Amino acid sequence: MRGMSRLTRSIQVGAVRIGGGAPVSIQCMAKADPADVDTIVRQLREARAAGCDIGRIAVPDLAAARTIPRVRAEGGLPIVADVHFDHRLAVEAARQGADGLRVNPGNLGGKDALRAVVAAAAERGIPIRVGVNSGSMPRQGGRAVEASAERMVETALTWVSEIEALGHPRIKVSMKSFHLAELDAANRRFAAASDVPLHLGVTEAGPPLAGSVRSAAGLAPLLRDGIGETVRVSLSAPPALEVRAARLLLQALGLRRGPQVVSCPTCGRTRVDLSPVAERVEALLESLGLPLTVAVMGCEVNGPGEARAADCGIAFGAGGKGLLFAAGQVLGPPWPNAELEEALRAYLGERARAAREGVEHG
Ligand code: SF4
């Protein structure tokens, strides 16, 4: 359960609302040469299919800014333009229809540069994300962590007041760090001091498995305490995988519904080679886009209990036969173990067809 959420101001990135009680949204970043628009569009479409709400692209030059209309139209997601060093790129990105800007006001080139960026965002009515990342030096000891978190929060609050003073309250803030104690302290401090929505993330989290675990370890305590209005899981992996990791994290915290496979860890009692079955069922469930919890269980010990508790599921069993469950009931006769996966696939196919046609299902 998410704790008492602080009530933040609400901002809009395209059609996606952030803050003000809106569901926690998922962001990703495209990872291709900005000139390779085909690949960027493909990555964003895949991310969208995986559950992404907002896409971000790097805008290192004017040519990249000019791809925004096509990336928006074909990628199917609201687009945030990520700009460093040259404020003119942010101004051009806003002109080209970006749904939001991500800048570090400290590296844009001074007050006039920030003023120009804020004016461009205000003219289009789009939000600015103020990104403050900590350095990569490890922090030694609790006091150093607190001091560093305090610096990040002070920097973020200073930029927020400067942008607000320019008449633009549509702001969100990110304070990312690789160091989880610092990430935690900075975001909690900021949440206590401001109603600006927070974009949460762990920087340079790592390869898929290590990065997902690190992100979950860092983000879950904050999200559970109602801190964080939008998230990105940064991985050295395709954007769709970042999105799946973020989605699974939100699902695990009960903040989002989506396809979910509950499968047993397997042991010496397992009746079949279970992990490929669980992976195939997960892939099918994701491709069908059904927000169901499906159990895939290896034997009759815990299998029937878990499969009954899920929306549907299979439990392989003794004597070469297993059971298919739906809505807590056994569906049909025992199936030969070799045919049980196919029976589940047929059932899920039927559910997807019914969902498309708007038919109620038991
Ligand atoms: S459900 Fe059966 S096979 Fe799976 S871990 Fe439990 S006892 Fe082992």
Side-chain angles (χ1 to χ4, degrees):
M1 260 312 276
R2 191 160 154 95
M4 280 291 291
S5 296
R6 69 194 179 112
L7 194 60
T8 69
R9 72 183 71 169
S10 161
I11 60 168
Q12 200 82 20
V13 178
V16 180
R17 198 158 68 87
I18 296 176
V24 178
S25 50
I26 296 176
Q27 310 210 12
C28 75
M29 188 155 184
K31 304 169 178 219
D33 184 327
D36 185 357
V37 181
D38 288 345
T39 303
I40 288 178
V41 163
R42 179 179 51 75
Q43 289 181 346
L44 293 176
R45 283 187 179 168
E46 288 169 0
R48 183 178 177 214
C52 188
D53 301 302
I54 297 166
R56 180 159 49 115
I57 60 167
V59 178
D61 51 35
L62 283 173
R66 289 176 190 137
T67 67
I68 289 173
R70 198 184 140 203
V71 169
R72 278 180 88 235
E74 296 181 21
L77 287 171
I79 292 299
V80 173
D82 188 279
V83 175
H84 288 275
F85 309 125
D86 185 347
H87 74 281
R88 290 168 303 182
L89 300 176
V91 171
E92 183 62 18
R95 263 196 216 122
Q96 293 289 338
D99 300 281
L101 302 174
R102 187 276 185 204
V103 297
N104 174 351
N107 73 19
L108 282 179
K111 292 225 163 158
D112 287 346
L114 179 61
R115 195 169 296 127
V117 170
V118 173
E123 196 184 320
R124 307 285 309 197
I126 59 173
I128 296 175
R129 163 150 73 98
V130 171
V132 179
N133 288 8
S134 85
S136 54
M137 288 301 289
R139 317 271 167 252
Q140 302 293 337
R143 206 170 303 155
V145 166
E146 280 300 323
S148 163
E150 199 176 327
R151 274 198 302 279
M152 285 167 84
V153 173
E154 271 170 18
T155 307
L157 287 172
T158 303
W159 292 127
V160 166
S161 354
E162 293 213 7
I163 295 170
E164 283 176 341
L166 293 168
H168 192 62
R170 294 175 173 143
I171 308 166
K172 62 191 155 97
V173 158
S174 62
M175 285 167 303
K176 299 191 178 183
S177 172
F178 181 76
H179 306 287
L180 303 191
E182 182 178 72
L183 176 88
D184 193 83
N187 282 284
R188 283 181 198 278
R189 266 176 190 273
F190 186 89
S194 171
D195 76 334
V196 167
L198 279 167
H199 167 123
L200 296 185
V202 175
T203 41
E204 285 95 42
L209 182 58
S212 300
V213 171
R214 192 169 189 90
S215 293
L219 268 45
L222 292 164
L223 289 166
R224 204 193 293 272
D225 286 345
I227 296 170
E229 284 64 42
T230 184
V231 299
R232 176 185 174 208
V233 170
S234 307
L235 301 175
S236 310
L241 202 57
E242 293 189 345
V243 171
R244 282 188 66 201
R247 206 193 68 218
L248 290 169
L249 169 60
L250 295 182
Q251 283 179 215
L253 293 168
L255 296 175
R256 185 179 275 234
R257 249 179 90 65
Q260 179 163 266
V261 170
V262 176
S263 59
C264 80
T266 78
C267 72
R269 295 187 194 87
T270 313
R271 303 288 180 187
V272 297
D273 186 8
L274 194 82
S275 46
V277 179
E279 276 175 25
R280 285 194 295 267
V281 169
E282 185 177 54
L284 176 68
L285 201 55
E286 299 234 349
S287 72
L288 295 174
L290 288 170
L292 298 178
T293 298
V294 178
V296 176
M297 302 295 292
C299 83
E300 62 282 4
V301 175
N302 293 325
E306 285 293 343
R308 257 184 227 285
D311 291 312
C312 61
I314 48 178
F316 294 95
K321 296 208 164 173
L323 296 170
L324 170 65
F325 292 84
Q329 305 293 325
V330 174
L331 213 62
W335 296 81
N337 282 341
E339 293 171 22
L340 195 52
E341 180 186 347
E342 198 42 51
L344 176 63
R345 297 178 78 87
Y347 175 78
L348 289 171
E350 178 61 24
R351 286 288 299 252
R353 191 190 62 75
R356 278 196 305 275
E357 292 169 7
V359 180
E360 273 290 313
H361 222 286

